[in-house]
Amino acid sequence: GASWTSVNMGLVHTYVLSLAIDPTNPNLLYTGTEGRGIFKATSVTEPTETIILGDVNDDREVDSGDAILVLRHSAGLITLTDPQRNRGDVNRDQSTDSGDAILILRKSAGLIDQFPGEGVAKLAEAGSILADPGPTRASLGEVKMLPQGIEVPLVLDAGVYGGDLTLTYDAAAYGVAQIKEAEGVLIITNTKQPGEVRLSVARLEADEPVALWVVLEGLAREVDLGLTGRVFGRDGWPSG
Protein backbone atom coordinates (compact mmCIF):
# COMPACT_ATOMS: atom_id res chain seq x y z
CA GLY A 1 0.00 0.00 0.00
CA ALA A 2 3.00 2.39 0.15
CA SER A 3 2.52 3.43 -3.47
CA TRP A 4 -1.20 4.16 -3.04
CA THR A 5 -2.93 7.44 -2.19
CA SER A 6 -6.57 7.87 -1.26
CA VAL A 7 -9.11 10.15 -2.90
CA ASN A 8 -10.38 10.55 0.67
CA MET A 9 -8.17 10.58 3.81
CA GLY A 10 -5.36 8.12 2.98
CA LEU A 11 -4.86 4.39 2.66
CA VAL A 12 -6.48 2.74 5.64
CA HIS A 13 -7.60 -0.63 4.30
CA THR A 14 -6.09 -3.05 1.72
CA TYR A 15 -9.02 -5.46 1.30
CA VAL A 16 -9.72 -4.74 -2.40
CA LEU A 17 -13.11 -5.46 -3.99
CA SER A 18 -12.69 -3.81 -7.40
CA LEU A 19 -10.10 -2.31 -9.78
CA ALA A 20 -10.54 0.17 -12.65
CA ILE A 21 -8.17 1.93 -15.07
CA ASP A 22 -8.80 5.62 -15.70
CA PRO A 23 -10.22 5.79 -19.27
CA THR A 24 -8.39 9.07 -19.94
CA ASN A 25 -5.06 8.08 -18.36
CA PRO A 26 -4.01 4.40 -18.42
CA ASN A 27 -1.28 5.16 -15.86
CA LEU A 28 -3.93 5.70 -13.18
CA LEU A 29 -5.42 2.67 -11.46
CA TYR A 30 -8.33 2.99 -9.01
CA THR A 31 -9.29 0.44 -6.39
CA GLY A 32 -12.39 0.14 -4.28
CA THR A 33 -12.07 -1.31 -0.77
CA GLU A 34 -14.59 -2.85 1.60
CA GLY A 35 -16.27 0.12 3.24
CA ARG A 36 -13.08 2.21 3.43
CA GLY A 37 -13.14 4.26 0.25
CA ILE A 38 -11.57 4.50 -3.20
CA PHE A 39 -7.81 4.74 -3.76
CA LYS A 40 -5.60 5.35 -6.76
CA ALA A 41 -2.06 4.37 -7.84
CA THR A 42 -0.08 7.00 -9.74
CA SER A 43 2.94 4.79 -10.53
CA VAL A 44 1.44 1.94 -12.52
CA THR A 45 4.05 -0.23 -14.29
CA GLU A 46 4.06 0.19 -18.06
CA PRO A 47 2.60 -2.84 -19.87
CA THR A 48 5.09 -5.30 -21.33
CA GLU A 49 4.89 -5.88 -25.09
CA THR A 50 4.05 -9.44 -26.04
CA ILE A 51 6.91 -11.35 -27.68
CA ILE A 52 5.91 -12.99 -30.97
CA LEU A 53 7.85 -16.22 -31.46
CA GLY A 54 9.33 -16.30 -34.97
CA ASP A 55 9.20 -12.51 -35.42
CA VAL A 56 12.96 -12.05 -35.74
CA ASN A 57 12.84 -8.62 -37.40
CA ASP A 58 10.32 -7.36 -34.83
CA ASP A 59 7.74 -6.12 -37.34
CA ARG A 60 4.92 -7.99 -35.51
CA GLU A 61 4.60 -10.48 -38.38
CA VAL A 62 6.01 -13.98 -38.91
CA ASP A 63 7.02 -14.37 -42.55
CA SER A 64 9.83 -15.29 -44.94
CA GLY A 65 11.71 -12.13 -43.98
CA ASP A 66 12.26 -13.66 -40.55
CA ALA A 67 13.37 -16.96 -42.09
CA ILE A 68 15.92 -15.12 -44.23
CA LEU A 69 17.44 -13.47 -41.16
CA VAL A 70 17.67 -16.82 -39.39
CA LEU A 71 19.37 -18.39 -42.41
CA ARG A 72 21.82 -15.48 -42.75
CA HIS A 73 22.68 -15.84 -39.06
CA SER A 74 23.08 -19.60 -39.41
CA ALA A 75 25.37 -19.13 -42.43
CA GLY A 76 27.56 -16.72 -40.48
CA LEU A 77 26.73 -13.65 -42.58
CA ILE A 78 25.16 -11.70 -39.71
CA THR A 79 24.93 -12.03 -35.95
CA LEU A 80 21.47 -11.79 -34.43
CA THR A 81 21.02 -10.04 -31.12
CA ASP A 82 20.10 -12.10 -28.06
CA PRO A 83 16.40 -11.07 -28.28
CA GLN A 84 16.38 -11.91 -32.00
CA ARG A 85 17.94 -15.33 -31.38
CA ASN A 86 15.37 -15.99 -28.68
CA ARG A 87 12.47 -15.11 -30.99
CA GLY A 88 14.05 -17.09 -33.84
CA ASP A 89 14.58 -20.28 -31.83
CA VAL A 90 11.05 -21.45 -32.52
CA ASN A 91 11.67 -25.14 -31.78
CA ARG A 92 13.32 -24.19 -28.46
CA ASP A 93 16.44 -26.35 -28.95
CA GLN A 94 18.74 -23.54 -27.77
CA SER A 95 20.04 -22.95 -31.32
CA THR A 96 18.84 -20.57 -34.04
CA ASP A 97 19.41 -22.35 -37.34
CA SER A 98 17.79 -23.59 -40.55
CA GLY A 99 15.58 -25.94 -38.54
CA ASP A 100 13.88 -22.83 -37.16
CA ALA A 101 13.77 -21.22 -40.62
CA ILE A 102 11.86 -24.25 -41.93
CA LEU A 103 9.20 -23.83 -39.25
CA ILE A 104 8.97 -20.08 -39.80
CA LEU A 105 8.40 -20.63 -43.54
CA ARG A 106 5.77 -23.28 -42.86
CA LYS A 107 3.88 -21.02 -40.47
CA SER A 108 4.11 -18.10 -42.90
CA ALA A 109 2.60 -20.33 -45.61
CA GLY A 110 -0.20 -21.46 -43.29
CA LEU A 111 0.97 -25.08 -43.15
CA ILE A 112 1.19 -25.01 -39.34
CA ASP A 113 -0.81 -22.98 -36.83
CA GLN A 114 1.83 -22.71 -34.14
CA PHE A 115 5.43 -23.62 -33.43
CA PRO A 116 6.24 -26.76 -31.45
CA GLY A 117 8.27 -24.60 -29.09
CA GLU A 118 5.49 -22.13 -28.25
CA GLY A 119 5.03 -22.25 -24.51
CA VAL A 120 7.51 -25.12 -24.23
CA ALA A 121 11.23 -25.16 -23.38
CA LYS A 122 13.00 -28.32 -24.43
CA LEU A 123 16.45 -29.42 -25.59
CA ALA A 124 17.08 -31.22 -28.85
CA GLU A 125 19.10 -34.37 -29.15
CA ALA A 126 22.50 -33.97 -30.77
CA GLY A 127 22.21 -33.47 -34.52
CA SER A 128 23.62 -36.06 -36.89
CA ILE A 129 26.82 -35.60 -38.86
CA LEU A 130 26.18 -35.97 -42.57
CA ALA A 131 28.77 -38.74 -42.91
CA ASP A 132 26.66 -40.94 -40.64
CA PRO A 133 24.00 -43.11 -42.29
CA GLY A 134 20.40 -42.15 -41.67
CA PRO A 135 16.94 -42.20 -43.20
CA THR A 136 17.35 -38.71 -44.64
CA ARG A 137 20.54 -36.83 -45.35
CA ALA A 138 22.52 -34.60 -47.68
CA SER A 139 25.29 -35.94 -49.88
CA LEU A 140 27.64 -35.06 -52.73
CA GLY A 141 26.36 -36.08 -56.14
CA GLU A 142 28.35 -36.83 -59.27
CA VAL A 143 30.68 -33.95 -60.10
CA LYS A 144 30.42 -32.55 -63.64
CA MET A 145 33.63 -31.44 -65.34
CA LEU A 146 33.45 -28.10 -67.17
CA PRO A 147 35.98 -26.49 -69.53
CA GLN A 148 36.87 -23.94 -66.84
CA GLY A 149 35.89 -25.71 -63.65
CA ILE A 150 33.43 -28.15 -62.07
CA GLU A 151 29.78 -28.31 -61.04
CA VAL A 152 29.22 -29.89 -57.64
CA PRO A 153 25.71 -31.13 -56.73
CA LEU A 154 24.71 -31.14 -53.06
CA VAL A 155 21.75 -33.51 -52.93
CA LEU A 156 19.06 -33.24 -50.26
CA ASP A 157 17.10 -36.46 -49.87
CA ALA A 158 13.32 -36.56 -49.97
CA GLY A 159 12.14 -35.69 -46.48
CA VAL A 160 14.95 -33.19 -45.89
CA TYR A 161 13.36 -29.76 -45.49
CA GLY A 162 16.59 -27.85 -44.97
CA GLY A 163 20.05 -27.88 -43.52
CA ASP A 164 23.21 -26.05 -42.53
CA LEU A 165 25.89 -27.41 -44.86
CA THR A 166 29.57 -26.72 -45.49
CA LEU A 167 31.24 -27.75 -48.74
CA THR A 168 35.04 -27.80 -48.54
CA TYR A 169 37.36 -27.69 -51.54
CA ASP A 170 41.00 -26.98 -52.41
CA ALA A 171 41.23 -23.17 -52.42
CA ALA A 172 44.56 -23.35 -54.26
CA ALA A 173 42.92 -25.13 -57.19
CA TYR A 174 39.44 -23.65 -57.29
CA GLY A 175 37.39 -20.57 -56.53
CA VAL A 176 33.64 -20.18 -56.15
CA ALA A 177 32.04 -18.95 -59.36
CA GLN A 178 28.32 -19.46 -58.74
CA ILE A 179 25.70 -21.09 -56.53
CA LYS A 180 22.73 -21.96 -58.72
CA GLU A 181 19.20 -21.38 -57.48
CA ALA A 182 16.99 -24.41 -56.99
CA GLU A 183 13.25 -24.12 -57.50
CA GLY A 184 11.33 -24.03 -54.25
CA VAL A 185 14.46 -23.76 -52.08
CA LEU A 186 15.50 -20.72 -50.06
CA ILE A 187 19.32 -20.64 -50.08
CA ILE A 188 21.67 -18.35 -48.16
CA THR A 189 25.39 -18.75 -48.89
CA ASN A 190 28.62 -17.60 -47.28
CA THR A 191 31.79 -17.77 -49.40
CA LYS A 192 33.96 -15.43 -47.32
CA GLN A 193 36.32 -18.17 -46.21
CA PRO A 194 38.53 -19.53 -49.03
CA GLY A 195 38.17 -23.26 -49.38
CA GLU A 196 34.61 -23.53 -48.10
CA VAL A 197 31.04 -22.71 -49.06
CA ARG A 198 28.53 -22.47 -46.22
CA LEU A 199 24.90 -22.91 -47.18
CA SER A 200 21.82 -22.57 -45.02
CA VAL A 201 18.75 -23.80 -46.86
CA ALA A 202 15.04 -24.35 -46.26
CA ARG A 203 12.09 -25.51 -48.36
CA LEU A 204 8.36 -25.95 -47.84
CA GLU A 205 7.92 -29.26 -49.63
CA ALA A 206 10.32 -32.21 -49.62
CA ASP A 207 8.53 -35.04 -51.41
CA GLU A 208 11.41 -35.36 -53.89
CA PRO A 209 15.20 -35.06 -53.66
CA VAL A 210 16.68 -31.76 -54.81
CA ALA A 211 20.17 -30.83 -55.96
CA LEU A 212 21.90 -27.58 -55.07
CA TRP A 213 24.61 -26.83 -57.63
CA VAL A 214 27.86 -25.12 -56.69
CA VAL A 215 30.08 -24.06 -59.60
CA LEU A 216 33.81 -23.93 -58.83
CA GLU A 217 36.18 -22.25 -61.27
CA GLY A 218 39.60 -23.74 -61.92
CA LEU A 219 41.58 -26.01 -64.22
CA ALA A 220 42.64 -28.76 -61.81
CA ARG A 221 41.42 -32.23 -62.71
CA GLU A 222 41.89 -33.75 -59.27
CA VAL A 223 38.86 -33.01 -57.10
CA ASP A 224 39.09 -33.12 -53.29
CA LEU A 225 35.71 -32.22 -51.81
CA GLY A 226 34.02 -32.64 -48.45
CA LEU A 227 30.53 -32.07 -47.07
CA THR A 228 29.66 -31.61 -43.40
CA GLY A 229 26.76 -30.18 -41.42
CA ARG A 230 23.32 -31.36 -40.46
CA VAL A 231 19.88 -31.56 -42.02
CA PHE A 232 16.36 -31.08 -40.66
CA GLY A 233 12.95 -32.64 -41.14
CA ARG A 234 9.53 -31.03 -41.47
CA ASP A 235 9.30 -30.51 -37.71
CA GLY A 236 12.49 -28.42 -37.68
CA TRP A 237 14.45 -31.02 -35.74
CA PRO A 238 17.70 -32.70 -36.84
CA SER A 239 17.08 -35.63 -39.15
CA GLY A 240 19.06 -38.76 -39.77
Side-chain angles (χ1 to χ4, degrees), residues 57-78:
N57 61 13
D58 201 22
D59 66 353
R60 315 305 293 171
E61 299 288 342
V62 177
D63 50 34
S64 60
D66 302 298
I68 289 170
L69 288 179
V70 169
L71 290 176
R72 287 178 61 80
H73 169 80
S74 187
L77 294 174
I78 62 173

Side-chain angles (χ1 to χ4, degrees), residues 26-54:
N27 289 323
L28 292 180
L29 178 66
Y30 292 89
T31 183
T33 62
E34 185 182 33
R36 298 298 181 92
I38 300 174
F39 301 84
K40 70 176 178 180
T42 57
S43 57
V44 179
T45 302
E46 291 291 332
T48 302
E49 189 174 34
T50 302
I51 294 176
I52 300 176
L53 198 61

Side-chain angles (χ1 to χ4, degrees), residues 96-119:
T96 306
D97 49 33
S98 64
D100 301 296
I102 291 168
L103 293 174
I104 290 172
L105 284 178
R106 291 182 64 78
K107 186 170 184 178
S108 177
L111 296 175
I112 58 175
D113 295 325
Q114 65 178 24
F115 298 118
E118 286 188 283

